[in-house]
Amino acid sequence: MPQFSFEPVVMPPEALKLRQEVRAFLADEIQKGSFTPAVGSMVEGDEAFSQKIGAKGWLGMTWPKQYGGGERSSLERYVVVEELLAAGAPSLCHWIAERQSGPQILRHGSERAKTTILPEIAAGRCYFAIGMSEPDTGSDLASVKSRAVKTDGGWRITGRKVWTSFAHRAHYVIALVRTSGTPDQRHYGLSQFIVDMKTPGITVRPIYNLYGGHDFNEVTFDDVLVPDDMIVGGEGRGWEMVVGELAFERSGPDRFMSSYPLLAEAVDEMGPDPERMQAAELGRAVAHLATLRRMSASIAGMLNDGKSPVTEAALVKDLGTTLEQEIPEIVRRILPVEPRGVGSDNGYVDLQQLAQMQCVSYSIRGGTREILRGMIARGLGLR
Ligand SMILES: Cc1cc2nc3c(=O)[nH]c(=O)nc-3n(C[C@H](O)[C@H](O)[C@H](O)COP(=O)(O)OP(=O)(O)OC[C@H]3O[C@@H](n4cnc5c(N)ncnc54)[C@H](O)[C@@H]3O)c2cc1C
């Protein structure tokens, strides 16, 4: 029977040294007031901050130098991502582009896409959105109805995407559309396109979330022209591309550390002498966090070796989002607070409220709990 494989990973000395550098930089930025720590990587975006990180060489770190990268290891990148999340740094602008779209373009994009887009992502100046979900297509992604039709020198896309995070500030969206066949032909005939958000025919409409924030959108494509060389991986290979991409999307520290700044703040709030029950509850959360870290770092090691640990990534996301959702509950139990509204003068209260409202979405975005568990069962040969 197939089994999970989580080979232990030892962080190399250069990653440990880098961690200290990143930590010192972030502490300095907080002290200078350049940002206030927030929960979740996908909440706050600050172009100037992303550009500072880019100038440090901390974006696109694993990519070739000719495309603006640093030719460093996945484990060094892992350390940077972990520290940004731990500090609650405003990383939203570059997040999707650096985590997911850039690696996809590097592996499957045209030479023009690589030379024009990747250096901009690495500099923290170019941002992406993911156009997979549609009004009737979420978990069942193969049923997308948006279509692209071949024309001279390119493709014309028509359709509607929904829940498109960050589309209102992104420079590009990678859209999954049908280029041949019909929705009931499932995985056959899907393709991915890099679409410049400035192209005529694109309309972006905000969708407000539970706490009134504008994170995601509905994006409509009306006969939008995309050049031939902005197809990713070739016509008809969209499904293969999506599956590969999701291993990157599901396994990183952003799938178990979204609530970390709240946990850290709660430790400070309790002080050096917590009650027994408080220590036990926090101890349990920290033990889970430590285990998830090892599992997630192991996946980073596998991705570094060119493997595609899809089942393991699904497991990390399922367990990780469960912990991210538990943390606000645990903190609420052991440290009761009066709701005072976001923007109060108490950072801990703000974090708690934001975490509580945001965490509902963690087990939906990037693949729901039920879908992940189905994948895990299939990966283990149980269905
Ligand atoms: C915060 C957030 C950000 C997002 N950002 C993006 C984005 O940037 N780009 C993008 O493309 N999408 C994005 N999404 C959309 C997300 O990927 C979808 O919401 C998700 O895939 C679920 O799809 P759905 O909402 O259509 O729910 P459905 O697929 O309709 O699912 C509804 C319920 O049915 C269950 N279910 C469905 N099928 C099965 C099955 N076969 N077996 C068992 N149970 C099943 C699901 O688990 C779920 O509980 C985002 C979502 C959130 C919450």
Side-chain angles (χ1 to χ4, degrees):
M1 190 163 101
Q3 290 187 339
F4 292 124
S5 160
F6 285 101
E7 288 294 313
V9 158
V10 179
M11 286 288 170
E14 59 274 17
L16 300 178
K17 184 165 168 276
L18 179 63
R19 186 185 295 288
Q20 298 315 319
E21 269 175 57
V22 180
R23 222 172 250 187
F25 166 80
L26 292 169
D28 191 43
E29 289 292 307
I30 294 175
Q31 223 213 332
K32 283 195 293 203
S34 103
F35 70 89
T36 307
V39 282
S41 56
M42 305 290 275
V43 185
E44 299 291 336
D46 173 355
E47 282 91 347
F49 180 79
S50 290
Q51 286 167 27
K52 273 189 209 169
I53 297 289
K56 285 269 177 198
W58 294 341
L59 297 178
M61 291 175 75
T62 60
W63 307 346
K65 288 190 177 153
Q66 72 180 115
Y67 301 126
E71 298 184 3
R72 299 175 84 164
S73 67
S74 296
L75 293 173
E76 286 170 283
R77 176 186 176 273
Y78 188 91
V79 158
V80 172
V81 171
E82 212 173 35
E83 291 301 319
L84 289 174
L85 287 162
S91 310
L92 174 65
C93 291
H94 65 255
W95 205 264
I96 294 172
E98 205 271 343
R99 174 190 69 188
Q100 194 161 339
S101 316
Q104 192 73 325
I105 292 169
L106 181 65
R107 282 182 298 158
H108 305 291
S110 67
E111 195 51 35
R112 186 167 78 93
K114 287 192 229 180
T115 48
T116 55
I117 297 174
L118 294 180
E120 287 298 294
I121 297 179
R125 288 191 294 259
C126 177
Y127 315 133
F128 269 70
I130 300 167
M132 293 188 188
S133 308
E134 297 189 357
D136 298 317
T137 296
S139 304
D140 185 17
L141 201 50
S143 67
V144 294
K145 294 187 186 66
S146 295
R147 274 200 98 86
V149 178
K150 188 76 189 88
T151 184
D152 274 355
W155 295 80
R156 289 199 169 272
I157 300 181
T158 299
R160 195 148 60 103
K161 296 288 172 184
V162 78
W163 314 126
T164 324
S165 302
F166 207 63
H168 53 302
R169 290 172 71 187
H171 301 96
Y172 296 94
V173 57
I174 295 195
L176 178 72
V177 304
R178 190 157 282 289
T179 40
S180 56
T182 55
D184 50 314
Q185 285 178 295
R186 314 282 301 156
H187 306 150
Y188 165 82
L190 296 171
S191 304
Q192 277 197 324
F193 290 93
I194 305 166
V195 188
D196 186 332
M197 292 299 289
K198 291 191 300 303
T199 318
I202 299 180
T203 310
V204 179
R205 196 179 63 85
I207 301 176
Y208 295 99
N209 61 24
L210 183 67
Y211 54 95
H214 176 192
D215 296 340
F216 38 44
N217 306 273
E218 178 192 66
V219 181
T220 310
F221 299 86
D222 185 9
D223 210 25
V224 172
L225 180 64
V226 184
D228 275 327
D229 59 3
M230 287 295 142
I231 198 163
V232 186
E235 198 270 323
R237 288 187 60 205
W239 187 253
E240 201 187 310
M241 300 293 108
V242 165
V243 171
E245 187 176 334
L246 289 175
F248 283 89
E249 183 181 343
R250 287 180 176 153
S251 60
D254 46 333
R255 296 312 187 191
F256 60 91
M257 284 184 68
S258 306
S259 305
Y260 179 87
L262 174 64
L263 191 67
E265 192 77 17
V267 171
D268 284 350
E269 190 81 8
M270 282 185 308
D273 199 14
E275 286 172 24
R276 205 159 165 229
M277 182 271 284
Q278 290 176 319
E281 291 257 30
L282 272 189
R284 190 176 148 273
V286 171
H288 281 200
L289 193 65
T291 310
L292 277 160
R293 250 189 100 196
R294 293 186 68 141
M295 293 166 78
S296 164
S298 165
I299 294 181
M302 289 188 253
L303 292 173
N304 207 28
D305 297 339
K307 297 182 188 151
S308 185
V310 175
T311 310
E312 285 81 358
L315 184 71
V316 167
K317 182 174 185 282
D318 184 33
L319 294 174
T321 50
T322 301
L323 177 68
E324 288 178 333
Q325 290 178 333
E326 271 174 7
I327 287 173
E329 264 314 299
I330 292 172
V331 172
R332 191 183 60 77
R333 270 202 307 272
I334 62 178
L335 269 176
V337 284
E338 287 286 317
R340 282 191 246 165
V342 173
S344 72
D345 55 0
N346 183 328
Y348 160 68
V349 174
D350 284 357
L351 280 178
Q352 166 67 353
Q353 286 183 124
L354 261 182
Q356 193 95 47
M357 288 191 284
Q358 266 179 38
C359 72
V360 185
S361 71
Y362 296 164
S363 54
I364 304 173
R365 64 183 190 187
T368 67
R369 177 162 287 143
E370 291 75 17
I371 294 301
L372 295 171
R373 290 184 180 174
M375 289 176 61
I376 295 164
R378 193 175 304 115
L380 291 178
L382 299 172
R383 65 184 278 242

